[in-house]
Amino acid sequence: MDKLPQIIAYATAKLKNDKTGHGLDHLTRVAQNAKLLLKEEPQADTFIVLAACWLHDTIDEKLTDPKQAQSQLKAFLKQIGLTEAQIQAILAIITQMSFTRNLNGRQKLSLEGQLVQDADWLDAIGAIGCVRAIYYGGAHRETIYDPKIKPRTNLTKEAYRQLEDETIINHFYEKLLKIADMLNTQAAKELAQKRQKFMLAFLEEFKNEWNGLS
Ligand code: ADP
Ligand code: NI
């Protein structure tokens, strides 16, 4: 656990200027969510969970060259004295946990990985999730809403990143509303209930206002 401050400093250096919803506020909330989930899963390795929370977006292919970022991260973790097993445990989590990595079939994750994935996915839903989707959509110049464009089904990773046919509202149907059923732990599923209801209410109100009904 004494290595965590150095890990937080590494993630901070990498992501402090992020303006796509993967910045320090996101990492802080993911770590905070993970601490809640850890209370229900005391057998999980707290250090691995928290380290992976802080590092999970430092190798994201949307934000950086993943191969280069991974070798730099490995070298850093070795340099601060993590064991080979700890490095492997962290890398296995952060390379397998993303929504896109799990689009065409679920990847097997360790218990620690399941907690980190849940903690990250909880931060993609609810009120925070609404703001992050709108923020990300703005950053990528997505259309806000177009009732003629239907949400896409059976998305491949390539299609998921193809934003010409995407709308911010469709992203709720293509990803955000699906998350509650994809969470690993009971504790996360319970936390997701309220967030799911909030998103459904938001979408209903949005469409009513769009259609001049409210
Ligand atoms: P992952 O890193 O797990 O693959 P994403 O990159 O899909 O996850 O999502 C990271 C954040 O960006 C999430 O909050 C997500 O909702 C948002 N996001 C991703 N794609 C879109 C999109 N096409 N439109 C709006 N928001 C998006
Ligand atoms: Ni994340």
Side-chain angles (χ1 to χ4, degrees), residues 150-189:
K150 298 296 169 210
R152 298 167 296 173
T153 51
N154 300 322
L155 272 178
T156 59
K157 187 173 161 188
E158 292 66 36
Y160 181 76
R161 293 284 172 226
Q162 193 65 44
L163 299 181
E164 283 94 74
D165 308 326
E166 178 66 310
T167 70
I168 293 173
I169 294 299
N170 278 353
H171 184 65
F172 284 79
Y173 298 95
E174 292 170 358
K175 173 181 177 186
L176 306 186
L177 293 173
K178 294 182 177 164
I179 285 180
D181 281 339
M182 294 172 71
L183 294 166
N184 303 290
T185 64
Q186 194 51 37
K189 285 181 187 164

Short mmCIF file of all heavy atoms in Angstrom, two decimals, residues 150-189:
data_model
loop_
_atom_site.label_atom_id
_atom_site.label_comp_id
_atom_site.label_asym_id
_atom_site.label_seq_id
_atom_site.Cartn_x
_atom_site.Cartn_y
_atom_site.Cartn_z
N LYS A 150 -31.45 5.36 -35.49
CA LYS A 150 -31.79 4.39 -34.44
C LYS A 150 -30.52 3.92 -33.72
O LYS A 150 -29.45 3.83 -34.35
CB LYS A 150 -32.49 3.16 -35.06
CG LYS A 150 -33.81 3.49 -35.75
CD LYS A 150 -34.84 4.03 -34.77
CE LYS A 150 -36.05 4.61 -35.50
NZ LYS A 150 -36.70 5.71 -34.75
N PRO A 151 -30.65 3.58 -32.44
CA PRO A 151 -29.48 3.03 -31.73
C PRO A 151 -28.97 1.78 -32.46
O PRO A 151 -29.76 0.99 -32.96
CB PRO A 151 -30.03 2.66 -30.35
CG PRO A 151 -31.28 3.46 -30.21
CD PRO A 151 -31.83 3.67 -31.59
N ARG A 152 -27.66 1.63 -32.49
CA ARG A 152 -27.08 0.48 -33.20
C ARG A 152 -27.07 -0.74 -32.28
O ARG A 152 -26.92 -0.61 -31.07
CB ARG A 152 -25.65 0.84 -33.65
CG ARG A 152 -25.65 2.02 -34.61
CD ARG A 152 -24.28 2.59 -34.82
NE ARG A 152 -23.73 3.16 -33.59
CZ ARG A 152 -22.48 3.61 -33.48
NH1 ARG A 152 -21.67 3.54 -34.51
NH2 ARG A 152 -22.06 4.12 -32.34
N THR A 153 -27.26 -1.92 -32.89
CA THR A 153 -27.22 -3.16 -32.09
C THR A 153 -26.03 -4.00 -32.56
O THR A 153 -25.49 -3.75 -33.64
CB THR A 153 -28.52 -3.98 -32.26
OG1 THR A 153 -28.76 -4.14 -33.65
CG2 THR A 153 -29.71 -3.29 -31.61
N ASN A 154 -25.66 -4.99 -31.78
CA ASN A 154 -24.52 -5.86 -32.11
C ASN A 154 -23.30 -5.06 -32.55
O ASN A 154 -22.71 -5.33 -33.59
CB ASN A 154 -24.87 -6.85 -33.23
CG ASN A 154 -26.01 -7.74 -32.81
OD1 ASN A 154 -26.09 -8.14 -31.66
ND2 ASN A 154 -26.90 -8.03 -33.73
N LEU A 155 -22.96 -4.09 -31.75
CA LEU A 155 -21.86 -3.20 -32.11
C LEU A 155 -20.52 -3.91 -32.07
O LEU A 155 -20.21 -4.61 -31.10
CB LEU A 155 -21.81 -2.05 -31.11
CG LEU A 155 -22.66 -0.82 -31.42
CD1 LEU A 155 -22.51 0.18 -30.30
CD2 LEU A 155 -22.26 -0.21 -32.74
N THR A 156 -19.72 -3.72 -33.10
CA THR A 156 -18.32 -4.15 -33.02
C THR A 156 -17.53 -2.98 -32.43
O THR A 156 -18.03 -1.86 -32.38
CB THR A 156 -17.75 -4.44 -34.42
OG1 THR A 156 -17.86 -3.24 -35.18
CG2 THR A 156 -18.50 -5.56 -35.12
N LYS A 157 -16.30 -3.29 -32.04
CA LYS A 157 -15.44 -2.25 -31.48
C LYS A 157 -15.24 -1.11 -32.50
O LYS A 157 -15.28 0.07 -32.15
CB LYS A 157 -14.10 -2.90 -31.14
CG LYS A 157 -13.17 -2.00 -30.41
CD LYS A 157 -11.95 -2.78 -29.97
CE LYS A 157 -10.82 -1.84 -29.68
NZ LYS A 157 -9.57 -2.52 -29.43
N GLU A 158 -15.08 -1.48 -33.77
CA GLU A 158 -14.83 -0.48 -34.81
C GLU A 158 -16.06 0.43 -34.95
O GLU A 158 -15.95 1.64 -35.01
CB GLU A 158 -14.52 -1.15 -36.16
CG GLU A 158 -13.19 -1.89 -36.21
CD GLU A 158 -13.12 -3.11 -35.29
OE1 GLU A 158 -14.15 -3.82 -35.14
OE2 GLU A 158 -12.04 -3.35 -34.69
N ALA A 159 -17.25 -0.21 -34.99
CA ALA A 159 -18.48 0.57 -35.15
C ALA A 159 -18.70 1.48 -33.94
O ALA A 159 -19.14 2.62 -34.06
CB ALA A 159 -19.67 -0.36 -35.35
N TYR A 160 -18.36 0.95 -32.76
CA TYR A 160 -18.54 1.71 -31.51
C TYR A 160 -17.76 3.01 -31.56
O TYR A 160 -18.21 4.04 -31.04
CB TYR A 160 -18.08 0.83 -30.34
CG TYR A 160 -18.23 1.47 -28.98
CD1 TYR A 160 -19.47 1.57 -28.36
CD2 TYR A 160 -17.12 1.96 -28.29
CE1 TYR A 160 -19.60 2.15 -27.12
CE2 TYR A 160 -17.24 2.54 -27.05
CZ TYR A 160 -18.48 2.63 -26.46
OH TYR A 160 -18.61 3.21 -25.22
N ARG A 161 -16.59 2.98 -32.17
CA ARG A 161 -15.75 4.19 -32.24
C ARG A 161 -16.05 5.04 -33.47
O ARG A 161 -15.41 6.07 -33.68
CB ARG A 161 -14.26 3.80 -32.24
CG ARG A 161 -13.81 3.20 -30.94
CD ARG A 161 -13.63 4.23 -29.84
NE ARG A 161 -13.37 3.58 -28.56
CZ ARG A 161 -13.95 3.92 -27.42
NH1 ARG A 161 -14.85 4.89 -27.38
NH2 ARG A 161 -13.66 3.29 -26.30
N GLN A 162 -16.97 4.58 -34.33
CA GLN A 162 -17.34 5.32 -35.55
C GLN A 162 -18.41 6.33 -35.17
O GLN A 162 -19.56 5.96 -34.97
CB GLN A 162 -17.90 4.28 -36.56
CG GLN A 162 -18.07 4.79 -37.97
CD GLN A 162 -16.72 5.11 -38.60
OE1 GLN A 162 -15.79 4.35 -38.46
NE2 GLN A 162 -16.64 6.25 -39.26
N LEU A 163 -18.05 7.57 -35.03
CA LEU A 163 -18.97 8.52 -34.40
C LEU A 163 -19.84 9.31 -35.38
O LEU A 163 -20.73 10.04 -34.96
CB LEU A 163 -18.20 9.47 -33.48
CG LEU A 163 -17.48 8.75 -32.33
CD1 LEU A 163 -16.74 9.74 -31.44
CD2 LEU A 163 -18.43 7.91 -31.49
N GLU A 164 -19.63 9.11 -36.70
CA GLU A 164 -20.47 9.85 -37.66
C GLU A 164 -21.94 9.46 -37.51
O GLU A 164 -22.83 10.28 -37.70
CB GLU A 164 -20.06 9.58 -39.11
CG GLU A 164 -18.81 10.32 -39.56
CD GLU A 164 -17.59 9.44 -39.36
OE1 GLU A 164 -17.41 8.49 -40.14
OE2 GLU A 164 -16.83 9.69 -38.39
N ASP A 165 -22.19 8.17 -37.22
CA ASP A 165 -23.58 7.69 -37.10
C ASP A 165 -24.05 7.69 -35.66
O ASP A 165 -25.07 7.08 -35.35
CB ASP A 165 -23.69 6.24 -37.59
CG ASP A 165 -23.10 6.05 -38.96
OD1 ASP A 165 -23.21 7.00 -39.76
OD2 ASP A 165 -22.53 4.98 -39.22
N GLU A 166 -23.31 8.32 -34.79
CA GLU A 166 -23.63 8.25 -33.36
C GLU A 166 -24.36 9.52 -32.92
O GLU A 166 -24.17 10.59 -33.49
CB GLU A 166 -22.31 8.09 -32.58
CG GLU A 166 -22.43 8.05 -31.07
CD GLU A 166 -23.15 6.83 -30.54
OE1 GLU A 166 -24.25 6.52 -31.03
OE2 GLU A 166 -22.63 6.21 -29.60
N THR A 167 -25.25 9.38 -31.94
CA THR A 167 -25.79 10.57 -31.27
C THR A 167 -25.57 10.36 -29.76
O THR A 167 -25.44 9.21 -29.30
CB THR A 167 -27.30 10.78 -31.52
OG1 THR A 167 -28.03 9.76 -30.83
CG2 THR A 167 -27.64 10.76 -33.00
N ILE A 168 -25.54 11.46 -29.04
CA ILE A 168 -25.32 11.34 -27.60
C ILE A 168 -26.44 10.53 -26.96
O ILE A 168 -26.19 9.64 -26.13
CB ILE A 168 -25.19 12.75 -26.95
CG1 ILE A 168 -23.91 13.42 -27.46
CG2 ILE A 168 -25.20 12.64 -25.43
CD1 ILE A 168 -23.75 14.87 -27.04
N ILE A 169 -27.67 10.80 -27.38
CA ILE A 169 -28.80 10.06 -26.79
C ILE A 169 -28.70 8.57 -27.13
O ILE A 169 -28.95 7.71 -26.28
CB ILE A 169 -30.16 10.68 -27.23
CG1 ILE A 169 -30.31 12.10 -26.65
CG2 ILE A 169 -31.33 9.78 -26.82
CD1 ILE A 169 -30.29 12.21 -25.12
N ASN A 170 -28.30 8.24 -28.36
CA ASN A 170 -28.18 6.82 -28.70
C ASN A 170 -27.12 6.11 -27.87
O ASN A 170 -27.21 4.90 -27.62
CB ASN A 170 -27.88 6.63 -30.19
CG ASN A 170 -29.14 6.72 -31.03
OD1 ASN A 170 -30.25 6.78 -30.47
ND2 ASN A 170 -29.01 6.71 -32.33
N HIS A 171 -26.11 6.83 -27.43
CA HIS A 171 -25.08 6.20 -26.60
C HIS A 171 -25.68 5.62 -25.31
O HIS A 171 -25.19 4.60 -24.81
CB HIS A 171 -23.97 7.22 -26.26
CG HIS A 171 -22.85 6.62 -25.50
ND1 HIS A 171 -22.02 5.65 -26.02
CD2 HIS A 171 -22.42 6.81 -24.22
CE1 HIS A 171 -21.14 5.28 -25.10
NE2 HIS A 171 -21.37 5.97 -24.00
N PHE A 172 -26.74 6.22 -24.83
CA PHE A 172 -27.42 5.66 -23.64
C PHE A 172 -27.94 4.26 -23.95
O PHE A 172 -27.83 3.34 -23.13
CB PHE A 172 -28.57 6.57 -23.20
CG PHE A 172 -28.12 7.80 -22.47
CD1 PHE A 172 -27.63 8.91 -23.16
CD2 PHE A 172 -28.15 7.86 -21.08
CE1 PHE A 172 -27.20 10.04 -22.49
CE2 PHE A 172 -27.72 8.98 -20.40
CZ PHE A 172 -27.25 10.08 -21.10
N TYR A 173 -28.54 4.10 -25.15
CA TYR A 173 -29.12 2.79 -25.50
C TYR A 173 -28.04 1.80 -25.92
O TYR A 173 -28.19 0.59 -25.73
CB TYR A 173 -30.16 2.97 -26.62
CG TYR A 173 -31.29 3.85 -26.15
CD1 TYR A 173 -31.31 5.21 -26.39
CD2 TYR A 173 -32.33 3.30 -25.38
CE1 TYR A 173 -32.32 6.02 -25.92
CE2 TYR A 173 -33.36 4.10 -24.89
CZ TYR A 173 -33.34 5.46 -25.16
OH TYR A 173 -34.34 6.24 -24.66
N GLU A 174 -26.97 2.30 -26.50
CA GLU A 174 -25.92 1.41 -27.00
C GLU A 174 -25.00 0.93 -25.88
O GLU A 174 -24.37 -0.11 -25.98
CB GLU A 174 -25.11 2.12 -28.09
CG GLU A 174 -25.96 2.36 -29.35
CD GLU A 174 -25.28 3.27 -30.36
OE1 GLU A 174 -24.17 3.75 -30.10
OE2 GLU A 174 -25.89 3.49 -31.42
N LYS A 175 -24.89 1.72 -24.81
CA LYS A 175 -24.01 1.32 -23.71
C LYS A 175 -24.60 1.55 -22.33
O LYS A 175 -24.75 0.62 -21.55
CB LYS A 175 -22.68 2.07 -23.81
CG LYS A 175 -21.77 1.85 -22.62
CD LYS A 175 -20.45 2.61 -22.69
CE LYS A 175 -19.63 2.40 -21.43
NZ LYS A 175 -18.41 3.21 -21.40
N LEU A 176 -24.93 2.80 -22.02
CA LEU A 176 -25.14 3.16 -20.62
C LEU A 176 -26.27 2.38 -19.95
O LEU A 176 -26.12 1.94 -18.80
CB LEU A 176 -25.36 4.67 -20.49
CG LEU A 176 -24.25 5.53 -21.12
CD1 LEU A 176 -24.47 7.01 -20.82
CD2 LEU A 176 -22.87 5.11 -20.63
N LEU A 177 -27.37 2.19 -20.66
CA LEU A 177 -28.50 1.46 -20.03
C LEU A 177 -28.22 -0.04 -19.90
O LEU A 177 -28.91 -0.73 -19.16
CB LEU A 177 -29.79 1.69 -20.83
CG LEU A 177 -30.33 3.13 -20.79
CD1 LEU A 177 -31.50 3.28 -21.76
CD2 LEU A 177 -30.77 3.53 -19.38
N LYS A 178 -27.22 -0.52 -20.62
CA LYS A 178 -26.89 -1.96 -20.55
C LYS A 178 -26.01 -2.29 -19.35
O LYS A 178 -25.90 -3.45 -18.95
CB LYS A 178 -26.14 -2.39 -21.82
CG LYS A 178 -27.00 -2.32 -23.06
CD LYS A 178 -26.21 -2.80 -24.25
CE LYS A 178 -27.09 -2.80 -25.49
NZ LYS A 178 -26.28 -2.89 -26.72
N ILE A 179 -25.35 -1.27 -18.82
CA ILE A 179 -24.32 -1.53 -17.81
C ILE A 179 -24.87 -2.20 -16.55
O ILE A 179 -24.26 -3.13 -16.02
CB ILE A 179 -23.56 -0.22 -17.48
CG1 ILE A 179 -22.61 0.07 -18.65
CG2 ILE A 179 -22.80 -0.33 -16.17
CD1 ILE A 179 -21.79 1.31 -18.49
N ALA A 180 -26.03 -1.75 -16.07
CA ALA A 180 -26.57 -2.29 -14.81
C ALA A 180 -26.60 -3.83 -14.83
O ALA A 180 -26.29 -4.47 -13.83
CB ALA A 180 -27.96 -1.72 -14.53
N ASP A 181 -26.95 -4.40 -15.99
CA ASP A 181 -27.02 -5.87 -16.09
C ASP A 181 -25.67 -6.52 -16.32
O ASP A 181 -25.57 -7.75 -16.29
CB ASP A 181 -27.93 -6.27 -17.27
CG ASP A 181 -29.39 -6.15 -16.90
OD1 ASP A 181 -29.69 -6.16 -15.69
OD2 ASP A 181 -30.22 -6.04 -17.82
N MET A 182 -24.66 -5.72 -16.58
CA MET A 182 -23.35 -6.30 -16.89
C MET A 182 -22.40 -6.25 -15.70
O MET A 182 -21.27 -6.75 -15.78
CB MET A 182 -22.71 -5.54 -18.06
CG MET A 182 -23.45 -5.72 -19.37
SD MET A 182 -22.79 -4.63 -20.66
CE MET A 182 -21.21 -5.39 -20.99
N LEU A 183 -22.84 -5.63 -14.59
CA LEU A 183 -21.95 -5.50 -13.42
C LEU A 183 -21.68 -6.86 -12.80
O LEU A 183 -22.52 -7.77 -12.88
CB LEU A 183 -22.57 -4.53 -12.41
CG LEU A 183 -22.66 -3.09 -12.93
CD1 LEU A 183 -23.58 -2.25 -12.05
CD2 LEU A 183 -21.28 -2.45 -13.04
N ASN A 184 -20.53 -6.99 -12.17
CA ASN A 184 -20.10 -8.29 -11.62
C ASN A 184 -20.62 -8.55 -10.22
O ASN A 184 -21.01 -9.66 -9.90
CB ASN A 184 -18.57 -8.34 -11.57
CG ASN A 184 -17.93 -8.10 -12.92
OD1 ASN A 184 -18.02 -8.94 -13.80
ND2 ASN A 184 -17.28 -6.96 -13.10
N THR A 185 -20.56 -7.52 -9.35
CA THR A 185 -20.82 -7.77 -7.93
C THR A 185 -22.21 -7.31 -7.53
O THR A 185 -22.78 -6.39 -8.10
CB THR A 185 -19.78 -7.02 -7.05
OG1 THR A 185 -19.96 -5.62 -7.23
CG2 THR A 185 -18.36 -7.41 -7.39
N GLN A 186 -22.72 -7.98 -6.48
CA GLN A 186 -24.04 -7.64 -5.97
C GLN A 186 -24.07 -6.19 -5.48
O GLN A 186 -25.03 -5.45 -5.74
CB GLN A 186 -24.38 -8.61 -4.82
CG GLN A 186 -25.83 -8.62 -4.40
CD GLN A 186 -26.79 -8.81 -5.58
OE1 GLN A 186 -26.51 -9.55 -6.53
NE2 GLN A 186 -27.91 -8.09 -5.54
N ALA A 187 -23.00 -5.79 -4.80
CA ALA A 187 -22.97 -4.42 -4.25
C ALA A 187 -23.06 -3.38 -5.37
O ALA A 187 -23.78 -2.38 -5.25
CB ALA A 187 -21.67 -4.22 -3.46
N ALA A 188 -22.38 -3.61 -6.46
CA ALA A 188 -22.42 -2.66 -7.58
C ALA A 188 -23.81 -2.67 -8.23
O ALA A 188 -24.34 -1.62 -8.60
CB ALA A 188 -21.35 -3.02 -8.61
N LYS A 189 -24.38 -3.86 -8.33
CA LYS A 189 -25.73 -3.96 -8.94
C LYS A 189 -26.73 -3.15 -8.12
O LYS A 189 -27.61 -2.50 -8.67
CB LYS A 189 -26.18 -5.42 -9.01
CG LYS A 189 -25.47 -6.18 -10.11
CD LYS A 189 -25.94 -7.61 -10.20
CE LYS A 189 -25.06 -8.35 -11.19
NZ LYS A 189 -25.13 -9.78 -11.13
#
